[in-house]
C-alpha cells in the first residue's frame, strides 16, 4: 500500500510544475527529520517538555514527522469554464515512528485529510463547502506547535457564506493508533461525539480582525465495558464560546484568544494535540453526565520580524479544566481538575543571509494529580521546567525571516526540572530512563514546508 502511495505522490510532484493558478495537480509537504541524543549513554534524544503537554514548552526536540499532500484541481482537469465552480480534491498522509524514535523505525502512515473543496455560487450567493476528513483549524503557535483557538480537526463538513462558517464534525479522527503523536491512545468517553460549530470573522479595519466561535457538543449513549466502571453509559451535551483577536501591521503579527467551555466541551482532555475542545477532560458523575464541568483556554502569540538583523516571537498558554462536581472516577490515574501554564520566547539573530542563530527559552508549570485505582487522589505539587536552547541554523533560501524554511539546525537544549518532575517522571526525558534534575538534548534537525 505504501509503495503505491509514494508512487501517487511522485506523480503529483511530476505534474506540479512551479506553483501557479493554472496547474491541475499540486504537491505540498511539511516535515521534520534528523538525528539526536540525550547525551546519556546511547539514548536517542527525548523531548524535554513536561509530559502530556504536547509540544507546549518548545518543539525543537520533537520526533520525526512527515506530511505529504496531493491536490487535484478538478475544474482544471475537466477544462471547465473560468466562471464555473472551483473544485479541489485533497489527500494528506502523515508518517511517524511508532516507537517514537527515528522515522525509519516502525514507520506508521495513515490518511488524515481526504475531502472535496468547492467554491461556487448558488442563487447568486457565493459559498465555500468542504466535505470529508480535514484539518479544520485556524492559527498556529509555531514555536509550540499549538493550534490555539479552534482545532476542530475531524470528519464532517464546513459551509462558509461570506465570513460565517457552520460545520458539523464527527470527532473520531486518528484515534486509537499507538504511538501516533496526533492521535488518542487513551480511553475517551466521548467517542460518539458530534460538534456543531458556528464561526464568524469580523474585519474591523485593515489591522484588526475578530473571530467569534460558538460550539454545541452532543453524544449518543456510550457504553463503558470495563468491569470496574460504576457508570454504565455516558450521554451528555456541552457548549463553548470563544473569541480571538488578530492584529497585523507591517512586520508585526499578534493573536490573542480566550475560550470557555462547559460540560463535555471542557477540553482539551488530551494535551498532546493542541486545543481540541471535543476531547473532554475529567470524570462524569454517577449518571454519566458532566454537571458542573468547565474549561478555560487563554492564549497569546506574536511574531515580529524587527529588522534585517533580528526577529522575535513569543507565546503564552494558560488552561484550567474541571470535570463533574460529584465525579465517579472511570479510569485509573485520571484526575478531575488540572491547570497548566506555558510561556516561551525565541529571538532569531541574522548573522548573515544563510547563517542565523536561534535562541529559545521555555517555562512550564503543571498541576500534577495522581489517583490510585480511581478511588483516592493526592496532589504532590507543581511540576516545573525551565529550558534553554541554542541552535545555529543554516537557511539555504537566504531569507531573513522567522518563518523562513527550509531549516537545518544544530540544536542543543538543556532543561532544569524541580523535584516533583524528577520524582514522578513527568517528562519524556525520564520515560527514557534518564535521571537527575537536568535534561540534555543534542540534535541535527531539518524542517521544511512548501
Amino acid at each position: 500500500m505504501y509503495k503505491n502511495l509514494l508512487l501517487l505522490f511522485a506523480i503529483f510532484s511530476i505534474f506540479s510544475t512551479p506553483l501557479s493558478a493554472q496547474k491541475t495537480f499540486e504537491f505540498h509537504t511539511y516535515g521534520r527529520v534528523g538525528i539526536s541524543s540525550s547525551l546519556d549513554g546511547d539514548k536517542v534524544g527525548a523531548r524535554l517538555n513536561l509530559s502530556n503537554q504536547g509540544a507546549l514548552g518548545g518543539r525543537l526536540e520533537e520526533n520525526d514527522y512527515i506530511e505529504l499532500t496531493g491536490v487535484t484541481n478538478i475544474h482544471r482537469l475537466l477544462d471547465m469554464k473560468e466562471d464555473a465552480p472551483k473544485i479541489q480534491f485533497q489527500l494528506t498522509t502523515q508518517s511517524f515512528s511508532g516507537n517514537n524514535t527515528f522515522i525509519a523505525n516502525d514507520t506508521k502512515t495513515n490518511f488524515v485529510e481526504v475531502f472535496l473543496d468547492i467554491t461556487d455560487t448558488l442563487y447568486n450567493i457565493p459559498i465555500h463547502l468542504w466535505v470529508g476528513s480535514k484539518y479544520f483549524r485556524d492559527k498556529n503557535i509555531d514555536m509550540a506547535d499549538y493550534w490555539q483557538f479552534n482545532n476542530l480537526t475531524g470528519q464532517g463538513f464546513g459551509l462558509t457564506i461570506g465570513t460565517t462558517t457552520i460545520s458539523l464534525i464527527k470527532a473520531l479522527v486518528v484515534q486509537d493508533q499507538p504511538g501516533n503523536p496526533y492521535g488518542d491512545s487513551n480511553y475517551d468517553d466521548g467517542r460518539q461525539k458530534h460538534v456543531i460549530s458556528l464561526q464568524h470573522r469580523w474585519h474591523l479595519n485593515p489591522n484588526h480582525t475578530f473571530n467569534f466561535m460558538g460550539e454545541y457538543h452532543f453524544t449518543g449513549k456510550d457504553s463503558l465495558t470495563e468491569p470496574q466502571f460504576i457508570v454504565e453509559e455516558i450521554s451528555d451535551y456541552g457548549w463553548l464560546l470563544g473569541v480571538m483577536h488578530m492584529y497585523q501591521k507591517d512586520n508585526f503579527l499578534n493573536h490573542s484568544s480566550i475560550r470557555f467551555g462547559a460540560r463535555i466541551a471542557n477540553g482539551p482532555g488530551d494535551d498532546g494535540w493542541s486545543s481540541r475542545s471535543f476531547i473532554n477532560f475529567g470524570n462524569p458523575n454517577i449518571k454519566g453526565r458532566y454537571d458542573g464541568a468547565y474549561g478555560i483556554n487563554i492564549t497569546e502569540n506574536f511574531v515580529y520580524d524587527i529588522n534585517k538583523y533580528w526577529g522575535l516571537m513569543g507565546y503564552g498558554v494558560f488552561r484550567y479544566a474541571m470535570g463533574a462536581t460529584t465525579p465517579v472516577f472511570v479510569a485509573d490515574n485520571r484526575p478531575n481538575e488540572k491547570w497548566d501554564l506555558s510561556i516561551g520566547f525565541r529571538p532569531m539573530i541574522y548573522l548573515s543571509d544563510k547563517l542565523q542563530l536561534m535562541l529559545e527559552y521555555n517555562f512550564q508549570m503543571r498541576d500534577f494529580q495522581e489517583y490510585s485505582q480511581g478511588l483516592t487522589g493526592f496532589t504532590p505539587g507543581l511540576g516545573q521546567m525551565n529550558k534553554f536552547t541554542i541552535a545555529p541554523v543554516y537557511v539555504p533560501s537566504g531569507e531573513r525571516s522567522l518563518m523562513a524554511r527550509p531549516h537545518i539546525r544544530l540544536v542543543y537544549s538543556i532543561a532544569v526540572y524541580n523535584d516533583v518532575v524528577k520524582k514522578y517522571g513527568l517528562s519524556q526525558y525520564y520515560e527514557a530512563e534518564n535521571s537527575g534534575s537536568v535534561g540534555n538534548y543534542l540534535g541535527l534537525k531539518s524542517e521544511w514546508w512548501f
Side-chain angles (χ1 to χ4, degrees), residues 193-196 213-218 236-242 259-267 277 290 293-295:
K193 185 177 296 183
H194 293 77
V195 179
I196 299 174
M213 176 174 62
E215 297 175 9
Y216 179 73
H217 300 211
F218 61 98
D236 204 1
Y237 66 94
W239 57 268
L240 180 146
L241 294 174
R259 220 176 59 181
F260 181 88
R263 307 185 71 92
I264 61 170
N266 71 337
S277 57
Y290 279 76
Y294 67 93

Tab-separated table of all heavy atoms in Angstrom, residues 193-196 213-218 236-242 259-267 277 290 293-295:
chain	number	residue	atom	x	y	z
A	193	LYS	N	-19.109	11.426	19.803
A	193	LYS	CA	-19.409	12.841	19.928
A	193	LYS	C	-19.529	13.510	18.559
A	193	LYS	O	-18.802	13.220	17.631
A	193	LYS	CB	-18.320	13.531	20.750
A	193	LYS	CG	-18.596	14.994	21.032
A	193	LYS	CD	-17.519	15.587	21.917
A	193	LYS	CE	-17.535	14.916	23.269
A	193	LYS	NZ	-16.551	15.527	24.187
A	194	HIS	N	-20.458	14.466	18.491
A	194	HIS	CA	-20.603	15.345	17.349
A	194	HIS	C	-20.469	16.788	17.821
A	194	HIS	O	-20.844	17.119	18.950
A	194	HIS	CB	-21.971	15.168	16.668
A	194	HIS	CG	-22.150	13.834	16.022
A	194	HIS	ND1	-22.418	12.687	16.741
A	194	HIS	CD2	-22.101	13.451	14.712
A	194	HIS	CE1	-22.523	11.669	15.905
A	194	HIS	NE2	-22.345	12.110	14.670
A	195	VAL	N	-19.942	17.630	16.949
A	195	VAL	CA	-19.761	19.043	17.270
A	195	VAL	C	-20.390	19.880	16.163
A	195	VAL	O	-20.041	19.728	14.988
A	195	VAL	CB	-18.264	19.406	17.404
A	195	VAL	CG1	-18.117	20.890	17.720
A	195	VAL	CG2	-17.586	18.559	18.475
A	196	ILE	N	-21.315	20.759	16.545
A	196	ILE	CA	-21.844	21.767	15.636
A	196	ILE	C	-21.137	23.078	15.967
A	196	ILE	O	-21.148	23.525	17.119
A	196	ILE	CB	-23.364	21.932	15.784
A	196	ILE	CG1	-24.082	20.618	15.450
A	196	ILE	CG2	-23.877	23.045	14.874
A	196	ILE	CD1	-25.578	20.665	15.717
A	213	MET	N	-16.615	32.420	17.951
A	213	MET	CA	-16.905	31.000	17.774
A	213	MET	C	-17.880	30.520	18.845
A	213	MET	O	-17.773	30.877	20.016
A	213	MET	CB	-15.615	30.177	17.867
A	213	MET	CG	-15.834	28.671	17.780
A	213	MET	SD	-14.263	27.784	17.709
A	213	MET	CE	-13.538	28.239	19.281
A	214	GLY	N	-18.833	29.708	18.413
A	214	GLY	CA	-19.722	29.008	19.326
A	214	GLY	C	-19.816	27.553	18.914
A	214	GLY	O	-19.838	27.235	17.718
A	215	GLU	N	-19.846	26.655	19.892
A	215	GLU	CA	-19.920	25.220	19.605
A	215	GLU	C	-20.986	24.572	20.486
A	215	GLU	O	-21.192	24.971	21.645
A	215	GLU	CB	-18.575	24.520	19.879
A	215	GLU	CG	-17.435	24.988	19.015
A	215	GLU	CD	-16.115	24.347	19.412
A	215	GLU	OE1	-16.117	23.401	20.245
A	215	GLU	OE2	-15.072	24.801	18.909
A	216	TYR	N	-21.630	23.550	19.925
A	216	TYR	CA	-22.536	22.691	20.696
A	216	TYR	C	-22.099	21.252	20.492
A	216	TYR	O	-21.976	20.787	19.349
A	216	TYR	CB	-23.984	22.876	20.248
A	216	TYR	CG	-24.957	21.988	20.998
A	216	TYR	CD1	-25.292	22.260	22.324
A	216	TYR	CD2	-25.493	20.856	20.389
A	216	TYR	CE1	-26.169	21.435	23.017
A	216	TYR	CE2	-26.370	20.027	21.079
A	216	TYR	CZ	-26.711	20.319	22.397
A	216	TYR	OH	-27.565	19.507	23.090
A	217	HIS	N	-21.842	20.551	21.574
A	217	HIS	CA	-21.370	19.166	21.521
A	217	HIS	C	-22.462	18.244	22.057
A	217	HIS	O	-23.137	18.581	23.037
A	217	HIS	CB	-20.129	18.979	22.407
A	217	HIS	CG	-18.962	19.836	22.036
A	217	HIS	ND1	-17.662	19.438	22.228
A	217	HIS	CD2	-18.878	21.080	21.492
A	217	HIS	CE1	-16.832	20.389	21.825
A	217	HIS	NE2	-17.557	21.402	21.379
A	218	PHE	N	-22.590	17.082	21.448
A	218	PHE	CA	-23.539	16.101	21.979
A	218	PHE	C	-23.067	14.698	21.641
A	218	PHE	O	-22.345	14.467	20.666
A	218	PHE	CB	-24.955	16.342	21.438
A	218	PHE	CG	-25.083	16.236	19.939
A	218	PHE	CD1	-25.540	15.070	19.346
A	218	PHE	CD2	-24.763	17.315	19.120
A	218	PHE	CE1	-25.667	14.976	17.963
A	218	PHE	CE2	-24.888	17.231	17.741
A	218	PHE	CZ	-25.337	16.061	17.159
A	236	ASP	N	-24.341	13.012	27.198
A	236	ASP	CA	-24.373	14.383	27.686
A	236	ASP	C	-24.211	15.349	26.522
A	236	ASP	O	-24.085	14.944	25.362
A	236	ASP	CB	-23.253	14.590	28.717
A	236	ASP	CG	-23.554	15.737	29.680
A	236	ASP	OD1	-24.621	16.351	29.564
A	236	ASP	OD2	-22.705	16.005	30.558
A	237	TYR	N	-24.202	16.618	26.847
A	237	TYR	CA	-24.034	17.682	25.874
A	237	TYR	C	-23.053	18.706	26.455
A	237	TYR	O	-22.661	18.637	27.633
A	237	TYR	CB	-25.366	18.357	25.554
A	237	TYR	CG	-25.947	19.101	26.732
A	237	TYR	CD1	-25.705	20.464	26.914
A	237	TYR	CD2	-26.719	18.439	27.687
A	237	TYR	CE1	-26.219	21.148	28.007
A	237	TYR	CE2	-27.233	19.117	28.790
A	237	TYR	CZ	-26.980	20.463	28.941
A	237	TYR	OH	-27.472	21.134	30.018
A	238	GLY	N	-22.658	19.673	25.648
A	238	GLY	CA	-21.780	20.735	26.126
A	238	GLY	C	-21.835	21.912	25.166
A	238	GLY	O	-22.313	21.796	24.038
A	239	TRP	N	-21.332	23.055	25.626
A	239	TRP	CA	-21.304	24.238	24.778
A	239	TRP	C	-20.011	25.003	25.034
A	239	TRP	O	-19.365	24.853	26.074
A	239	TRP	CB	-22.506	25.139	25.032
A	239	TRP	CG	-22.665	25.590	26.461
A	239	TRP	CD1	-23.387	24.987	27.436
A	239	TRP	CD2	-22.040	26.747	27.072
A	239	TRP	NE1	-23.280	25.681	28.623
A	239	TRP	CE2	-22.452	26.759	28.427
A	239	TRP	CE3	-21.198	27.745	26.617
A	239	TRP	CZ2	-22.051	27.747	29.314
A	239	TRP	CZ3	-20.779	28.737	27.505
A	239	TRP	CH2	-21.210	28.729	28.831
A	240	LEU	N	-19.630	25.813	24.054
A	240	LEU	CA	-18.377	26.558	24.132
A	240	LEU	C	-18.542	27.896	23.423
A	240	LEU	O	-19.181	27.979	22.374
A	240	LEU	CB	-17.245	25.760	23.492
A	240	LEU	CG	-15.850	26.378	23.466
A	240	LEU	CD1	-14.789	25.296	23.621
A	240	LEU	CD2	-15.600	27.135	22.160
A	241	LEU	N	-17.940	28.941	23.993
A	241	LEU	CA	-17.886	30.262	23.383
A	241	LEU	C	-16.449	30.761	23.399
A	241	LEU	O	-15.710	30.512	24.362
A	241	LEU	CB	-18.777	31.262	24.138
A	241	LEU	CG	-20.285	31.006	24.107
A	241	LEU	CD1	-21.003	31.991	25.019
A	241	LEU	CD2	-20.840	31.083	22.696
A	242	GLY	N	-16.046	31.459	22.337
A	242	GLY	CA	-14.682	31.954	22.290
A	242	GLY	C	-14.546	33.124	21.334
A	242	GLY	O	-15.380	33.332	20.447
A	259	ARG	N	-11.324	31.302	25.554
A	259	ARG	CA	-12.367	30.321	25.252
A	259	ARG	C	-12.898	29.765	26.562
A	259	ARG	O	-12.129	29.496	27.484
A	259	ARG	CB	-11.733	29.194	24.435
A	259	ARG	CG	-12.544	28.651	23.323
A	259	ARG	CD	-11.751	27.620	22.564
A	259	ARG	NE	-11.320	26.512	23.388
A	259	ARG	CZ	-10.598	25.487	22.954
A	259	ARG	NH1	-10.208	25.455	21.707
A	259	ARG	NH2	-10.250	24.516	23.757
A	260	PHE	N	-14.214	29.571	26.636
A	260	PHE	CA	-14.831	28.951	27.808
A	260	PHE	C	-15.766	27.853	27.331
A	260	PHE	O	-16.639	28.093	26.501
A	260	PHE	CB	-15.618	29.976	28.634
A	260	PHE	CG	-16.252	29.390	29.870
A	260	PHE	CD1	-15.554	29.338	31.063
A	260	PHE	CD2	-17.539	28.884	29.826
A	260	PHE	CE1	-16.136	28.786	32.203
A	260	PHE	CE2	-18.136	28.323	30.955
A	260	PHE	CZ	-17.425	28.280	32.149
A	261	GLY	N	-15.571	26.635	27.865
A	261	GLY	CA	-16.414	25.509	27.502
A	261	GLY	C	-17.010	24.850	28.732
A	261	GLY	O	-16.374	24.806	29.799
A	262	ALA	N	-18.223	24.355	28.621
A	262	ALA	CA	-18.927	23.743	29.741
A	262	ALA	C	-19.300	22.305	29.411
A	262	ALA	O	-19.446	21.928	28.252
A	262	ALA	CB	-20.174	24.548	30.090
A	263	ARG	N	-19.427	21.500	30.461
A	263	ARG	CA	-19.824	20.091	30.383
A	263	ARG	C	-18.846	19.327	29.484
A	263	ARG	O	-17.631	19.408	29.686
A	263	ARG	CB	-21.276	19.966	29.934
A	263	ARG	CG	-22.253	20.804	30.792
A	263	ARG	CD	-23.691	20.568	30.406
A	263	ARG	NE	-24.133	19.232	30.820
A	263	ARG	CZ	-24.724	18.964	31.978
A	263	ARG	NH1	-24.959	19.938	32.855
A	263	ARG	NH2	-25.098	17.743	32.277
A	264	ILE	N	-19.303	18.619	28.452
A	264	ILE	CA	-18.379	17.817	27.646
A	264	ILE	C	-17.641	18.624	26.592
A	264	ILE	O	-16.927	18.057	25.758
A	264	ILE	CB	-19.099	16.636	26.966
A	264	ILE	CG1	-20.191	17.138	26.020
A	264	ILE	CG2	-19.645	15.677	27.998
A	264	ILE	CD1	-20.778	16.043	25.154
A	265	ALA	N	-17.756	19.953	26.650
A	265	ALA	CA	-16.942	20.823	25.797
A	265	ALA	C	-15.865	21.513	26.628
A	265	ALA	O	-15.444	22.622	26.324
A	265	ALA	CB	-17.817	21.856	25.104
A	266	ASN	N	-15.403	20.850	27.690
A	266	ASN	CA	-14.438	21.463	28.608
A	266	ASN	C	-12.998	21.070	28.286
A	266	ASN	O	-12.103	21.274	29.093
A	266	ASN	CB	-14.758	21.072	30.058
A	266	ASN	CG	-14.440	19.607	30.352
A	266	ASN	OD1	-14.393	18.775	29.451
A	266	ASN	ND2	-14.222	19.291	31.615
A	267	GLY	N	-12.744	20.522	27.075
A	267	GLY	CA	-11.407	20.069	26.714
A	267	GLY	C	-10.434	21.206	26.467
A	267	GLY	O	-10.799	22.381	26.570
A	277	SER	N	-11.363	20.989	21.727
A	277	SER	CA	-12.365	21.118	22.785
A	277	SER	C	-13.201	19.857	22.941
A	277	SER	O	-13.778	19.619	24.008
A	277	SER	CB	-13.281	22.305	22.475
A	277	SER	OG	-13.891	22.147	21.205
A	290	TYR	N	-21.793	15.353	32.907
A	290	TYR	CA	-20.711	16.233	33.339
A	290	TYR	C	-21.270	17.521	33.951
A	290	TYR	O	-20.852	18.614	33.602
A	290	TYR	CB	-19.791	16.545	32.157
A	290	TYR	CG	-18.792	15.446	31.885
A	290	TYR	CD1	-19.186	14.263	31.263
A	290	TYR	CD2	-17.464	15.569	32.259
A	290	TYR	CE1	-18.289	13.248	31.018
A	290	TYR	CE2	-16.542	14.563	32.027
A	290	TYR	CZ	-16.966	13.406	31.414
A	290	TYR	OH	-16.066	12.395	31.174
A	293	ALA	N	-18.969	20.667	35.047
A	293	ALA	CA	-17.668	20.638	34.378
A	293	ALA	C	-17.486	21.885	33.517
A	293	ALA	O	-18.434	22.381	32.909
A	293	ALA	CB	-17.546	19.387	33.511
A	294	TYR	N	-16.244	22.400	33.460
A	294	TYR	CA	-15.955	23.539	32.603
A	294	TYR	C	-14.459	23.621	32.345
A	294	TYR	O	-13.648	22.975	33.014
A	294	TYR	CB	-16.463	24.845	33.219
A	294	TYR	CG	-15.764	25.277	34.484
A	294	TYR	CD1	-14.677	26.156	34.452
A	294	TYR	CD2	-16.188	24.810	35.732
A	294	TYR	CE1	-14.040	26.567	35.608
A	294	TYR	CE2	-15.553	25.211	36.896
A	294	TYR	CZ	-14.478	26.089	36.829
A	294	TYR	OH	-13.840	26.481	37.985
A	295	GLY	N	-14.099	24.398	31.330
A	295	GLY	CA	-12.695	24.582	30.988
A	295	GLY	C	-12.460	25.971	30.426
A	295	GLY	O	-13.334	26.555	29.768
